[in-house]
């Protein structure tokens, strides 16, 4: 995890150049996290993001966690202001784990950097990916192990000139593009692995399904084998920044023509509201 500038710890801001000991131990503990897109320093879908963060925290640590939307929203704005973040799009990572002192949830905030576009967009450059077989502890949750496994796979992909790694599990099923959900287009039908078998329930997964629904595509939860994935027409992922088309997998080229037409369905996504339970 690259850390620079200021970080937020339970509402307090610290200069990382002077407090390395305050976050270095994150490499030694399990935690749960969320990556949040912000527009004009306003975090998108914050209530739903905090609901998912609380739910995962309680499942992992068997302890209750409640995060107030207004308080966390203010802390995120303070973090962005202190890091001199532009008023356009930015990413913020929230990390939660039990305090070693009190047992209560500690909430860390990291500035993830600026985005080229505000809100959500279709990435201009399609990703070149390769498939890698690896298992993830607690696959239904965004955890430290989840992040480290995907980051290790991504680095292996980058080492051979690719952008991303498609995770293939022990059954030979293609389950995600890194930590983000994987969508495969076949005609007017879109396949996405079910949340339990693949990447965790996330805002990105729900936004991707919403875009497909607005485009009047039929969304089917179905785990595809690696071979079946290679036989689909187009492939994309939904990331915190928006739609990432996949232009090549293991050297085989995929068109992105249809995926780029989904751009017109992204405009109102920043204002989309989720039910608090996000079931």
């Amino acid at each position: 995890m690259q850390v620079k500038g200021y970080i937020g710890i339970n509402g307090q801001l610290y200069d990382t150049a002077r407090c390395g000991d305050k976050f270095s131990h994150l490499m030694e503990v399990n935690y749960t996290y969320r990556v949040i897109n912000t527009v004009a320093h306003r975090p998108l879908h914050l209530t739903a993001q905090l609901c998912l963060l609380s739910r995962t925290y309680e499942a992992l640590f068997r302890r209750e966690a409640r995060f107030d939307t207004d308080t966390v929203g203010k802390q995120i704005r303070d973090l962005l202001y202190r890091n001199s973040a532009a008023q356009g799009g930015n990413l913020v990572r929230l990390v939660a784990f039990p305090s070693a002192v009190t047992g209560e949830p500690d909430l860390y905030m990291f500035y993830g950097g600026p985005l080229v576009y505000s809100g959500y967009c279709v990435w201009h450059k399609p990703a070149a990916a390769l498939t890698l077989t690896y298992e993830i502890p607690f696959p239904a949750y965004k955890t430290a192990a989840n992040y480290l496994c995907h980051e290790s796979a991504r680095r292996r992909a980058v080492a051979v000139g690719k952008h991303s790694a498609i995770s293939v599990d022990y059954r030979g099923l293609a389950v995600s593009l890194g930590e983000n959900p994987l969508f495969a287009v076949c005609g007017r039908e879109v396949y996405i692995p079910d949340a339990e078998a693949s990447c965790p329930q996330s805002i990105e997964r729900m936004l991707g399904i919403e875009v497909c629904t607005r485009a009047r595509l039929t969304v089917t939860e179905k785990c595809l084998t690696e071979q079946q994935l290679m036989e689909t027409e187009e492939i994309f992922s939904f990331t915190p920044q928006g739609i990432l088309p996949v232009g090549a997998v293991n050297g085989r080229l995929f068109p992105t023509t249809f995926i780029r037409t989904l751009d017109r369905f992204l405009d109102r996504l920043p204002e989309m509201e989720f039910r608090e339970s996000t079931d």
Side-chain angles (χ1 to χ4, degrees):
M1 180 185 296
Q2 280 194 330
V3 181
K4 58 184 178 179
Y6 287 84
I7 62 172
I9 303 176
N10 298 332
Q12 299 296 315
L13 293 173
Y14 297 90
D15 185 345
T16 57
R18 302 176 181 175
C19 66
D21 61 314
K22 289 189 178 294
F23 59 85
S24 59
H25 66 289
L26 285 181
M27 297 300 293
E28 304 170 1
V29 301
N30 194 15
Y31 58 78
T32 181
Y33 69 95
R34 293 285 153 180
V35 180
I36 296 179
N37 188 333
T38 72
V39 174
H41 291 193
R42 176 176 64 89
L44 303 182
H45 318 299
L46 184 58
T47 298
Q49 291 276 25
L50 292 177
C51 179
L52 289 172
L53 186 68
S54 296
R55 181 185 302 172
T56 303
Y57 184 97
E58 292 168 6
L60 287 177
F61 303 114
R62 299 295 189 265
R63 301 179 184 182
E64 187 177 66
R66 290 291 179 266
F67 304 104
D68 180 70
T69 301
D70 292 336
T71 300
V72 174
K74 180 181 182 304
Q75 293 171 356
I76 289 175
R77 290 191 293 273
D78 290 344
L79 177 73
L80 293 173
Y81 176 78
R82 187 64 66 89
N83 280 286
S84 301
Q87 284 289 322
N90 294 278
L91 291 183
V92 173
R93 180 181 292 264
L94 303 184
V95 173
F97 58 95
S99 168
V101 177
T102 66
E104 296 299 312
D106 277 343
L107 183 64
Y108 280 48
M109 297 181 183
F110 300 90
Y111 174 48
L115 301 177
V116 176
Y117 301 102
S118 293
Y120 300 108
C121 67
V122 177
W123 289 40
H124 175 70
K125 184 178 180 179
L130 78 163
T131 57
L132 289 174
T133 300
Y134 60 99
E135 289 298 304
I136 304 170
F138 308 111
Y141 304 107
K142 284 185 177 289
T143 65
N146 184 296
Y147 170 76
L148 291 173
C149 286
H150 288 311
E151 178 62 12
S152 174
R154 186 192 68 81
R155 292 185 181 188
R156 288 176 61 189
V158 170
V160 294
K162 309 300 181 185
H163 175 276
S164 308
I166 293 176
S167 172
V168 177
D169 69 11
Y170 70 96
R171 299 165 296 177
L173 301 177
V175 293
S176 67
L177 185 73
E179 61 183 333
N180 295 304
L182 185 67
F183 296 80
V185 182
C186 289
R188 300 297 299 177
E189 191 165 17
V190 177
Y191 295 106
I192 179 172
D194 65 86
E196 293 301 320
S198 60
C199 59
Q201 182 65 288
S202 65
I203 297 301
E204 292 75 36
R205 188 176 193 274
M206 291 184 277
L207 289 174
I209 291 174
E210 176 65 20
V211 168
C212 294
T213 301
R214 292 182 182 185
R216 298 189 176 183
L217 300 171
T218 300
V219 178
T220 301
E221 287 194 343
K222 179 182 178 181
C223 293
L224 301 181
T225 65
E226 182 178 347
Q227 181 59 39
Q228 289 172 330
L229 179 70
M230 299 295 285
E231 294 171 355
T232 60
E233 296 171 8
E234 297 190 27
I235 302 171
F236 70 95
S237 179
F238 204 101
T239 75
Q241 299 99 306
I243 293 175
L244 173 59
V246 177
V249 179
N250 295 343
R252 187 209 155 174
L253 300 180
F254 283 83
T256 62
T257 306
F258 175 74
I259 293 171
R260 296 197 177 280
T261 67
L262 300 177
D263 182 64
R264 65 184 187 274
F265 301 105
L266 298 177
D267 290 348
R268 296 185 181 180
L269 284 190
E271 310 305 324
M272 180 179 169
E273 295 185 2
F274 297 96
R275 288 183 299 132
E276 186 173 352
S277 66
T278 63
D279 288 333

